[in-house]
Amino acid sequence: MTYDRHDIIRFLGAAAVVSIADYLIVLTDCVIAGRVLGEVALSGLNLLMPIFSLVTFVSWLVATAVSGSSFAASQHGEDRRAAELAGQGIVLSALIGIALVVIMRAFEAPYLMFLAPDENVQVFSGDFWKWYHLVVPFQMIFFTLGYLVYRRDGERICLLAYAVVAVVNLVASLILARKLGISGVSYGTLLSLASGIAVIGVWMRSPKSKV
């Protein structure tokens, strides 16, 4: 199978959009943690940056593999097979996300004890991490959906979904952080990803969807 220039640009576009969206999510969380909760909360969040990077990397790998296989099937005229691969890929994303959560829970205590000598920093990191476990499967699913849609002529809805994620994350995290502390930032991120999944999910069920 050969790819033309439009296919390559679309693939690079999906990668760029996902990278920017992930950066905005992390940046928003850090800014809110620092401005609303203080420097110690920001330090606690920064301590988890390697974890965020690992989850993003795995999300990118899965999303690329799933969207690539589905796109290849569609290029061969196997639309039913493409849809099956997309559905299986979404389930796979959720399962891998859950597996990551299990691994993260196993290494949470030694990770925080080794990297956070300050008890207050450990508390903020632990509180965020506790609820970040819920975020991981949603992030895996959202990235996979974003790649699938973007590569199947759904650029506009994909960009709309990422815009919704950015806005919801900013508003929800800001409000919840004032009431629930650092856990509220996690809740805000979770709500934003759920909103993005809902936007793409509604579009995928419409007649305009090619996924």
Side-chain angles (χ1 to χ4, degrees), residues 51-186:
I51 305 299
F52 300 156
S53 298
L54 174 63
V55 172
T56 299
F57 176 68
V58 175
S59 300
W60 179 82
L61 284 180
V62 175
T64 302
V66 171
S67 63
S69 60
S70 178
F71 182 74
S74 69
Q75 290 293 88
H76 283 101
E78 301 175 3
D79 292 337
R80 183 173 181 180
R81 178 59 177 165
E84 290 176 352
L85 289 171
Q88 293 168 4
I90 294 169
V91 174
L92 177 64
S93 299
L95 293 176
I96 293 177
I98 293 171
L100 281 176
V101 169
V102 173
I103 296 172
M104 288 166 58
R105 287 184 67 86
F107 288 95
E108 177 180 351
Y111 178 89
L112 293 179
M113 289 179 63
F114 180 74
L115 292 180
D118 187 281
E119 252 183 59
N120 293 325
V121 174
Q122 282 190 36
V123 170
F124 277 107
S125 296
D127 286 346
F128 185 89
W129 201 340
K130 179 171 59 177
W131 299 109
Y132 182 68
H133 294 152
L134 299 176
V135 173
V136 175
F138 279 81
Q139 180 173 331
M140 296 286 296
I141 294 171
F142 180 63
F143 277 24
T144 299
L145 287 173
Y147 262 71
L148 283 169
V149 169
Y150 199 99
R151 295 186 68 178
R152 297 292 298 278
D153 295 329
E155 291 94 339
R156 290 184 180 179
I157 195 65
C158 186
L159 292 174
L160 173 62
Y162 284 120
V164 169
V165 167
V167 173
V168 172
N169 188 43
L170 175 61
V171 176
S173 295
L174 186 60
I175 294 173
L176 293 174
R178 297 181 184 277
K179 296 183 177 181
L180 303 174
I182 196 71
S183 298
V185 180
S186 290

Side-chain angles (χ1 to χ4, degrees), residues 170-207:
L170 175 61
V171 176
S173 295
L174 186 60
I175 294 173
L176 293 174
R178 297 181 184 277
K179 296 183 177 181
L180 303 174
I182 196 71
S183 298
V185 180
S186 290
Y187 281 131
T189 303
L190 178 62
L191 289 174
S192 69
L193 291 171
S195 300
I197 291 172
V199 170
I200 294 178
V202 170
W203 183 82
M204 288 178 66
R205 295 180 65 85
S206 71

